Amino acid sequence: MICAISGEVPEEPVVSKKTGHLFEKRLVERHVEDFGKCPVTGEPLTMDDLMPVKTNKAVKPRPLQAASIPGLLGMFQIEWDQLMLSHFALEQQLHTARQELSHALYQHDAACRVIARLKKERDEARTLLTLAERHVPLPASTTANDSTFNNGKRAAEDVNMDHDGKRSLPGISADIIADLTDCNTLLSQQRKKRQIPSTLAPVDALERYTQLSSHPLHKTNRPGILSVDIHPSKDIIATGGVDTNAIVFDRTSGQILSTLSGHSKKVTSVKFVPKDDFFVTASADKTVRVWQGSEDGNYNCRHVLKDHIAEVQAVTVHATNNYFVSASLDSTWCFYDLTSGSCLTQVGDTSDGDGYTSAAFHPDGLILGTGTSQANVRIWDVKSQSNVAKFEGHSGPVSAISFSENGYFLATAADDGVKLWDLRKLRNFRTFAPYDSNTSTNSVDFDHSGSYLAIAGSDIRVYQVANVKSEWNCVKTFPDLSGTGKATSVKFGPNAQYLTVGSMDRNLRIFGLPGDSAEE
């Protein structure tokens, strides 16, 4: 008689009344207590179903293998082989479990990607729906106090509705087009005669540039500088921060001149306007603010512009200093009259669902460049508001664009680096990929002479501008900022005599020749 569990002769045998199987009493009782079923058939089993079997007690003979040392060694070898086979089986089970876990993780990742795509499509649909709602006629009960009609700063004619219920904008009139054209003609003539200024910093001076000063301008609870601009005729610098403020900073004294508060979310772009001491800021709160400097050095808010329905990512000022453009993630850009704060036209292109992440006027003012969230660059004819060219090839949102003063080159920055475009042949002729795949290029800037190009990411690099076929040499690499905060914006000072850098550690850094700092 052999136990159905151990496979050996039981010392105290019991038999199941239900199945007739023989068991060792101590083994089957433990199994029944734990599982309540027959270990062989799986049927329900209780202690009452077990009946003892009376047998004669017999002394078990010693196994033959245990009678000698070679026999014992053989037994040990058999047990070792069984242990190895059991270990191999466990490894096989572990491998299978790992494969199943890897498959589950892959399915989880795929599901997260699908969810992210669906959320993106949902957000795009909401944006399109909001755009459509803006063109639906309002009920008769709607009053002039509604937010659609009253922003407190817009000219009355800008809020009239046409017979289709759409908001009627004045458009870019013939007089404005004539103003833009005259400016273009004048600047084109000046460019042909323009010489490289003698005060431009030479290459050997740039190679010796070092950090002159560092200024923590913004709040510590929400650190980070997202945009930097330099006044063209004054030695003052402006920064836009994550802390919702814009700061106007005097480089000579190293003091903050004014803190501009009013936005409710991060300030994404800042621009000085030399005419009448205007200053423009854009924000993730979907608004653009126009400020004007006063005699006491402070800036007062003149206009709050609420024409966008998503984050405003960039503002750029026309060469006439009479107009500016804002670009938003709602896939539209707006052309404004600076003095009145009137939106003259709003241009949208939702065919690709691209939101605008950057914008800049061509030096002549008749061309506008915009970067999109879908890695494209669009070139617009400002007079007709038509898209005349589209550059593809980047990966990730186009974070910054800059036109060279010669009017021939366009530099664009994105996750994969910087691309240079020939505007005459509408093609990409050079690509810089200075950082690894985990570091994006956040800013790019030609100096006013068109002699140097600066790019910013985990560090700052300055290239000497050449032609399409010649090599653009990197003349200077400034320290890696990855330990203190990535560089988000870079801007050349007049004649490239210094370089300003904003970073996510809220510091404004100024680089130049030792001994040439404004403070000295």
Side-chain angles (χ1 to χ4, degrees), residues 96-110:
T96 302
R98 284 178 172 174
Q99 286 184 323
E100 293 175 351
L101 177 60
S102 175
H103 182 67
L105 291 173
Y106 175 79
Q107 287 183 320
H108 173 74
D109 181 67

Side-chain angles (χ1 to χ4, degrees), residues 377 391-392 394 400-404 408-414 416-433 444-446 452-455 463-473:
V377 180
F391 297 147
E392 299 176 331
H394 269 302
I401 65 178
S402 178
F403 287 96
S404 172
Y408 301 149
F409 301 144
L410 171 66
T412 58
D416 55 351
V418 172
K419 290 185 180 294
L420 298 173
W421 308 87
D422 187 343
L423 297 176
R424 295 164 293 185
K425 297 184 179 180
L426 301 179
R427 67 181 183 89
N428 169 229
F429 67 91
R430 184 162 279 100
T431 299
F432 300 127
V444 61
D445 182 57
F446 281 104
Y452 303 112
L453 174 70
I455 65 176
Y463 292 81
Q464 186 176 16
V465 173
N467 56 36
V468 173
K469 296 182 180 179
S470 301
E471 189 67 25
W472 293 44
N473 297 318

Side-chain angles (χ1 to χ4, degrees), residues 494-505:
N495 296 318
Q497 293 294 327
Y498 63 90
L499 188 71
T500 60
V501 177
S503 67
M504 288 306 293
D505 64 358

Side-chain angles (χ1 to χ4, degrees), residues 137-312:
L138 296 175
S141 60
T142 303
T143 68
N145 291 326
D146 288 338
S147 60
T148 307
F149 288 87
N150 181 27
N151 64 9
K153 300 292 180 182
R154 189 177 301 149
E157 59 270 18
D158 286 346
V159 295
N160 291 333
M161 308 293 284
D162 62 19
H163 63 280
D164 293 327
K166 297 181 181 180
R167 180 165 158 248
S168 176
L169 296 174
I172 301 179
S173 65
D175 291 340
I176 295 175
I177 292 177
D179 189 15
L180 302 180
T181 305
D182 291 343
C183 178
N184 171 265
T185 303
L186 177 62
L187 292 175
S188 298
Q189 293 174 351
Q190 291 177 351
R191 180 182 298 113
K192 295 177 182 178
K193 302 176 182 179
R194 187 166 57 91
Q195 301 292 328
I196 299 296
S198 59
T199 54
L200 178 70
V203 173
D204 61 342
L206 274 169
E207 291 174 346
R208 291 182 287 119
Y209 276 13
T210 185
Q211 181 172 309
L212 302 178
S213 58
S214 178
H215 309 277
L217 300 183
H218 292 265
K219 295 179 180 178
T220 57
N221 58 339
R222 299 171 67 184
I225 295 175
L226 301 179
S227 179
V228 169
D229 194 33
I230 300 174
H231 198 287
S233 59
K234 299 179 182 179
D235 205 6
I236 59 175
I237 303 168
T239 61
V242 180
D243 63 355
T244 73
N245 294 329
I247 302 292
V248 179
F249 174 79
D250 183 85
R251 191 178 77 93
T252 304
S253 64
Q255 300 297 318
I256 293 176
L257 298 180
S258 183
T259 299
L260 284 61
S261 302
H263 287 292
S264 60
K265 293 185 178 180
K266 60 186 178 182
V267 177
T268 55
S269 183
V270 295
K271 287 293 177 184
F272 281 112
V273 186
K275 179 182 177 182
D276 297 328
D277 207 14
F278 280 116
F279 182 65
V280 184
T281 59
S283 171
D285 64 7
K286 309 176 188 178
T287 69
V288 176
R289 288 178 178 253
V290 179
W291 312 75
Q292 190 169 26
S294 57
E295 294 180 356
D296 60 2
N298 291 320
Y299 281 78
N300 301 314
C301 184
R302 288 283 303 276
H303 307 289
V304 180
L305 310 174
K306 303 179 181 180
D307 297 281
H308 291 291
I309 58 172
E311 293 186 11
V312 185

Side-chain angles (χ1 to χ4, degrees), residues 5-17:
I5 297 177
S6 64
E8 298 179 354
V9 177
E11 296 180 359
E12 190 175 359
V14 292
V15 66
S16 171
K17 297 178 183 178

Side-chain angles (χ1 to χ4, degrees), residues 19-38:
T19 64
H21 286 94
L22 185 71
F23 302 102
E24 177 70 59
K25 181 178 179 181
R26 59 183 176 80
L27 296 178
V28 73
E29 285 181 348
R30 185 182 303 170
H31 185 84
V32 170
E33 288 177 359
D34 293 340
F35 304 103
K37 59 183 179 181
C38 176

Side-chain angles (χ1 to χ4, degrees), residues 323-376:
Y323 315 101
F324 73 93
V325 160
S326 63
S328 169
L329 291 179
D330 64 5
S331 304
T332 69
W333 56 267
C334 292
F335 187 93
Y336 289 98
D337 177 88
L338 183 63
T339 305
S340 67
S342 302
C343 179
L344 303 179
T345 186
Q346 185 169 14
V347 181
D349 184 1
T350 59
S351 57
D352 297 332
D354 293 6
Y356 296 122
T357 52
S358 54
F361 271 113
H362 186 272
D364 287 348
L366 290 184
I367 294 176
L368 175 71
T370 57
T372 74
S373 58
Q374 300 299 320
N376 297 320

